[in-house]
PDB file of all heavy atoms in Angstrom:
ATOM      1  N   VAL Y 862     -10.164 -26.503  -3.810  1.00 98.00           N
ATOM      2  CA  VAL Y 862     -10.938 -25.603  -4.769  1.00 98.00           C
ATOM      3  C   VAL Y 862     -11.576 -26.442  -5.762  1.00 98.00           C
ATOM      4  O   VAL Y 862     -12.871 -26.288  -5.893  1.00 98.00           O
ATOM      5  CB  VAL Y 862     -10.034 -24.487  -5.303  1.00 98.00           C
ATOM      6  CG1 VAL Y 862     -10.857 -23.887  -6.435  1.00 98.00           C
ATOM      7  CG2 VAL Y 862      -9.612 -23.410  -4.319  1.00 98.00           C
ATOM      8  N   GLN Y 863     -10.840 -27.269  -6.384  1.00 98.00           N
ATOM      9  CA  GLN Y 863     -11.369 -28.165  -7.422  1.00 98.00           C
ATOM     10  C   GLN Y 863     -12.489 -29.018  -6.878  1.00 98.00           C
ATOM     11  O   GLN Y 863     -13.675 -29.256  -7.565  1.00 98.00           O
ATOM     12  CB  GLN Y 863     -10.387 -28.927  -8.038  1.00 98.00           C
ATOM     13  CG  GLN Y 863      -9.299 -28.200  -8.848  1.00 98.00           C
ATOM     14  CD  GLN Y 863      -8.239 -28.990  -9.537  1.00 98.00           C
ATOM     15  OE1 GLN Y 863      -7.885 -30.027  -8.964  1.00 98.00           O
ATOM     16  NE2 GLN Y 863      -7.822 -28.618 -10.611  1.00 98.00           N
ATOM     17  N   ARG Y 864     -12.248 -29.612  -5.801  1.00 98.00           N
ATOM     18  CA  ARG Y 864     -13.219 -30.637  -5.228  1.00 98.00           C
ATOM     19  C   ARG Y 864     -14.486 -29.990  -4.760  1.00 98.00           C
ATOM     20  O   ARG Y 864     -15.536 -30.444  -5.047  1.00 98.00           O
ATOM     21  CB  ARG Y 864     -12.560 -31.389  -4.017  1.00 98.00           C
ATOM     22  CG  ARG Y 864     -13.498 -32.476  -3.278  1.00 98.00           C
ATOM     23  CD  ARG Y 864     -12.905 -33.033  -2.075  1.00 98.00           C
ATOM     24  NE  ARG Y 864     -12.358 -32.150  -1.162  1.00 98.00           N
ATOM     25  CZ  ARG Y 864     -13.149 -31.385  -0.335  1.00 98.00           C
ATOM     26  NH1 ARG Y 864     -14.382 -31.484  -0.332  1.00 98.00           N
ATOM     27  NH2 ARG Y 864     -12.559 -30.530   0.483  1.00 98.00           N
ATOM     28  N   GLU Y 865     -14.307 -28.923  -3.974  1.00 98.00           N
ATOM     29  CA  GLU Y 865     -15.517 -28.313  -3.377  1.00 98.00           C
ATOM     30  C   GLU Y 865     -16.426 -27.676  -4.447  1.00 98.00           C
ATOM     31  O   GLU Y 865     -17.662 -27.833  -4.494  1.00 98.00           O
ATOM     32  CB  GLU Y 865     -15.083 -27.185  -2.407  1.00 98.00           C
ATOM     33  CG  GLU Y 865     -14.725 -27.662  -1.041  1.00 98.00           C
ATOM     34  CD  GLU Y 865     -15.803 -28.230  -0.206  1.00 98.00           C
ATOM     35  OE1 GLU Y 865     -16.968 -28.020  -0.601  1.00 98.00           O
ATOM     36  OE2 GLU Y 865     -15.486 -28.816   0.812  1.00 98.00           O
ATOM     37  N   ILE Y 866     -15.833 -27.104  -5.449  1.00 98.00           N
ATOM     38  CA  ILE Y 866     -16.669 -26.458  -6.570  1.00 98.00           C
ATOM     39  C   ILE Y 866     -17.331 -27.538  -7.309  1.00 98.00           C
ATOM     40  O   ILE Y 866     -18.448 -27.528  -7.701  1.00 98.00           O
ATOM     41  CB  ILE Y 866     -15.809 -25.676  -7.433  1.00 98.00           C
ATOM     42  CG1 ILE Y 866     -15.166 -24.404  -6.629  1.00 98.00           C
ATOM     43  CG2 ILE Y 866     -16.582 -25.035  -8.562  1.00 98.00           C
ATOM     44  CD1 ILE Y 866     -16.077 -23.617  -5.872  1.00 98.00           C
ATOM     45  N   GLY Y 867     -16.661 -28.651  -7.540  1.00 98.00           N
ATOM     46  CA  GLY Y 867     -17.252 -29.774  -8.216  1.00 98.00           C
ATOM     47  C   GLY Y 867     -18.278 -30.406  -7.430  1.00 98.00           C
ATOM     48  O   GLY Y 867     -19.344 -30.737  -8.023  1.00 98.00           O
ATOM     49  N   GLU Y 868     -18.203 -30.599  -6.167  1.00 97.00           N
ATOM     50  CA  GLU Y 868     -19.208 -31.138  -5.311  1.00 97.00           C
ATOM     51  C   GLU Y 868     -20.426 -30.266  -5.103  1.00 97.00           C
ATOM     52  O   GLU Y 868     -21.628 -30.724  -5.196  1.00 97.00           O
ATOM     53  CB  GLU Y 868     -18.515 -31.335  -3.988  1.00 97.00           C
ATOM     54  CG  GLU Y 868     -17.591 -32.644  -3.864  1.00 97.00           C
ATOM     55  CD  GLU Y 868     -16.959 -32.732  -2.625  1.00 97.00           C
ATOM     56  OE1 GLU Y 868     -17.232 -31.894  -1.656  1.00 97.00           O
ATOM     57  OE2 GLU Y 868     -16.158 -33.757  -2.372  1.00 97.00           O
ATOM     58  N   GLU Y 869     -20.140 -28.873  -4.902  1.00 97.00           N
ATOM     59  CA  GLU Y 869     -21.331 -28.017  -4.625  1.00 97.00           C
ATOM     60  C   GLU Y 869     -22.153 -27.645  -5.830  1.00 97.00           C
ATOM     61  O   GLU Y 869     -23.356 -27.472  -5.703  1.00 97.00           O
ATOM     62  CB  GLU Y 869     -20.744 -26.862  -3.847  1.00 97.00           C
ATOM     63  CG  GLU Y 869     -20.175 -27.207  -2.469  1.00 97.00           C
ATOM     64  CD  GLU Y 869     -19.809 -25.944  -1.703  1.00 97.00           C
ATOM     65  OE1 GLU Y 869     -19.939 -24.775  -2.329  1.00 97.00           O
ATOM     66  OE2 GLU Y 869     -19.493 -26.109  -0.623  1.00 97.00           O
ATOM     67  N   VAL Y 870     -21.520 -27.495  -6.963  1.00 98.00           N
ATOM     68  CA  VAL Y 870     -22.099 -26.922  -8.211  1.00 98.00           C
ATOM     69  C   VAL Y 870     -21.939 -27.647  -9.353  1.00 98.00           C
ATOM     70  O   VAL Y 870     -22.413 -27.194 -10.426  1.00 98.00           O
ATOM     71  CB  VAL Y 870     -21.931 -25.348  -8.370  1.00 98.00           C
ATOM     72  CG1 VAL Y 870     -22.556 -24.614  -7.214  1.00 98.00           C
ATOM     73  CG2 VAL Y 870     -20.509 -25.113  -8.417  1.00 98.00           C
ATOM     74  N   GLY Y 871     -21.202 -28.775  -9.429  1.00 97.00           N
ATOM     75  CA  GLY Y 871     -20.864 -29.633 -10.539  1.00 97.00           C
ATOM     76  C   GLY Y 871     -20.172 -28.852 -11.628  1.00 97.00           C
ATOM     77  O   GLY Y 871     -20.258 -29.269 -12.808  1.00 97.00           O
ATOM     78  N   VAL Y 872     -19.152 -27.943 -11.294  1.00 97.00           N
ATOM     79  CA  VAL Y 872     -18.472 -27.112 -12.286  1.00 97.00           C
ATOM     80  C   VAL Y 872     -16.975 -27.652 -12.009  1.00 97.00           C
ATOM     81  O   VAL Y 872     -16.441 -27.737 -10.990  1.00 97.00           O
ATOM     82  CB  VAL Y 872     -18.578 -25.674 -11.911  1.00 97.00           C
ATOM     83  CG1 VAL Y 872     -17.506 -24.791 -12.607  1.00 97.00           C
ATOM     84  CG2 VAL Y 872     -20.028 -25.136 -12.437  1.00 97.00           C
TER      85      VAL Y 872
END
Side-chain angles (χ1 to χ4, degrees):
V862 169
Q863 292 179 330
R864 177 184 54 78
E865 283 288 347
I866 300 306
E868 290 175 354
E869 293 186 354
V870 290
V872 166

